[in-house]
Amino acid sequence: RVFSSIRMRISQRPTCHKIVKTKNNRYCIISSLGVRNDTQVFTIDGYTGRLLYNAQPGIDLFASEKDAVCALQYPSVIMEYCALVGLLVLGSEVCILGACKVKHTMTFPPQHHCYTITSSKWIRLPLLYTFAPLSKEEKDKLALFHEFKLDNLHYYSETYDLTHRFPNCNSVEDYDEEFVWNQQLRLAFQQCGLEKWCCVLLQGMAEWTETPDPENIRGPAYLGLVTKRSCLNVGARFISRGLNEMHAAGNEYECELLLWTMCNVEKVLEVRWATYVWIRGTAPIHWKSQMNVGEAEIIIPADPFDGVQHYYRRLQK
């Protein structure tokens, strides 16, 4: 298949989010997106943890990060992120998760960069008002949540919707929630209309390789592999088996193999491409495993095909 596109403008700066503390003890996020030319300052409300932003030039909207830092009277930097993964208000704290280091692992045609998170970190900021304290059980669950492994297993793009198959013309925010692993963490940004500043995180991999064209006719050929794990039915191997109440198969991945070439034709970029998609996971019927001594026993109910049609209808969408 073939499609044509005008080349995209590549940003001259990397995305940068700085969590800062001002001299009057306010916490702010200074954000400079690579897909924009300006800089925003989001103030974290000291009582509710809500993000405050009014897009007022000289107040929270600036031409550059340097201007924003100057307006805030050179605040102290607590953390610097390449991408914001999410924000949660828990008890008397604001918890922010971000990517400290990322690696460019793939470029979707024509020039949509995909980044894999290689280093991430949570930070916890205190609120001025103490809400109901967390119970011991809640604290234990929060500690486990903070231990969830993110590095080298998750990726995102600032300019392309990775949740739908290639090619698509969706905006980054027009995604399929089935493959988004930080949906709840994004809510704080969505509620303030700032969803563009929080990445859409997928679990899996997106990598590519380049093969030179020995005859130099159309340039090199590119081969890319994209895998994305569904978040509708996840768990350990012997727990997430078959279909659940959402008619989703356990630990299911959608895999896509892409092959494409690019060539300039009359100042327009022509992309010739082919794609192959497959899905892997547990068998999409109702069944489960029960651990016995030395082996796992497979248990199949009386009607294992109940609701299976809903699974296949979702795939057809």
Side-chain angles (χ1 to χ4, degrees):
R1 300 182 184 181
V2 180
F3 72 83
S4 299
S5 171
I6 299 175
R7 282 191 177 272
M8 297 172 53
R9 174 184 175 275
I10 300 178
S11 175
Q12 298 300 313
R13 67 175 187 180
T15 292
C16 179
H17 306 280
K18 292 183 178 179
I19 316 300
V20 301
K21 183 179 182 180
T22 65
K23 294 180 179 180
N24 59 356
N25 294 323
R26 287 187 305 151
Y27 292 102
C28 301
I29 305 176
I30 302 176
S31 293
S32 302
L33 292 181
V35 295
R36 296 175 62 106
N37 295 320
D38 52 9
T39 295
Q40 291 71 35
V41 175
F42 310 132
T43 300
I44 301 175
D45 185 85
Y47 293 94
T48 64
R50 183 181 176 88
L51 296 175
L52 305 177
Y53 178 68
N54 296 309
Q56 296 183 353
I59 304 297
D60 52 12
L61 176 61
F62 301 91
S64 66
E65 180 184 301
K66 182 179 179 181
D67 293 343
V69 171
C70 182
L72 293 177
Q73 300 181 348
Y74 302 95
S76 57
V77 178
I78 300 174
M79 181 63 66
E80 183 172 332
Y81 290 131
C82 302
L84 292 172
V85 177
L87 181 150
L88 287 175
V89 179
L90 299 169
S92 59
E93 293 182 331
V94 175
C95 301
I96 302 176
L97 175 61
C100 303
K101 295 180 181 179
V102 298
K103 180 182 179 182
H104 173 217
T105 53
M106 186 172 179
T107 299
F108 287 80
Q111 291 178 341
H112 298 287
H113 290 184
C114 179
Y115 301 95
T116 298
I117 295 177
T118 58
S119 176
S120 59
K121 189 173 183 179
W122 284 93
I123 61 170
R124 301 164 70 173
L125 307 176
L127 291 174
L128 297 176
Y129 179 80
T130 302
F131 292 90
L134 299 179
S135 65
K136 183 181 183 303
E137 181 181 3
E138 290 174 328
K139 290 181 180 179
D140 293 341
K141 290 183 177 180
L142 178 60
L144 290 174
F145 184 60
H146 283 182
E147 293 175 3
F148 181 77
K149 186 169 177 57
L150 206 68
D151 303 347
N152 300 308
L153 297 173
H154 297 80
Y155 61 96
Y156 68 93
S157 174
E158 296 179 329
T159 60
Y160 191 68
D161 173 27
L162 298 171
T163 65
H164 290 94
R165 299 167 188 172
F166 178 86
N168 69 76
C169 299
N170 300 336
S171 67
V172 178
E173 290 74 38
D174 188 20
Y175 53 77
D176 183 353
E177 293 185 8
E178 177 181 353
F179 299 105
V180 179
W181 282 73
N182 63 332
Q183 179 61 23
Q184 293 298 317
L185 297 176
R186 284 174 48 85
L187 290 180
F189 292 88
Q190 290 178 331
Q191 291 168 355
C192 304
L194 303 174
E195 58 269 17
K196 291 184 179 180
W197 281 264
C198 184
C199 72
V200 177
L201 197 67
L202 288 81
Q203 186 178 109
M205 63 173 287
E207 297 190 7
W208 69 337
T209 185
E210 177 181 333
T211 302
D213 179 7
E215 298 181 0
N216 198 26
I217 298 176
R218 292 192 55 86
Y222 302 91
L223 183 66
L225 176 62
V226 181
T227 67
K228 47 195 176 187
R229 187 184 184 188
S230 169
C231 62
L232 298 182
N233 187 1
V234 297
R237 176 184 177 187
F238 294 108
I239 297 177
S240 294
R241 295 288 206 182
L243 299 179
N244 61 4
E245 65 279 0
M246 300 178 65
H247 311 294
N251 294 316
E252 189 167 81
Y253 279 83
E254 181 176 294
C255 308
E256 187 170 12
L257 188 65
L258 296 169
L259 176 66
W260 74 93
T261 62
M262 297 187 293
C263 181
N264 284 312
V265 179
E266 297 180 355
K267 298 183 179 181
V268 175
L269 182 66
E270 182 182 87
V271 179
R272 295 188 177 184
W273 59 276
T275 179
Y276 180 73
V277 178
W278 71 98
I279 294 174
R280 62 169 297 272
T282 62
I285 61 173
H286 292 281
W287 64 287
K288 62 181 180 179
S289 296
Q290 180 175 313
M291 292 298 298
N292 293 323
V293 179
E295 61 180 10
E297 178 184 359
I298 296 177
I299 301 175
I300 300 177
D303 187 5
F305 299 101
D306 180 37
V308 170
Q309 69 275 14
H310 299 292
Y311 169 81
Y312 287 103
R313 286 172 185 168
R314 181 168 52 83
L315 291 184
Q316 292 172 351
K317 294 180 181 180

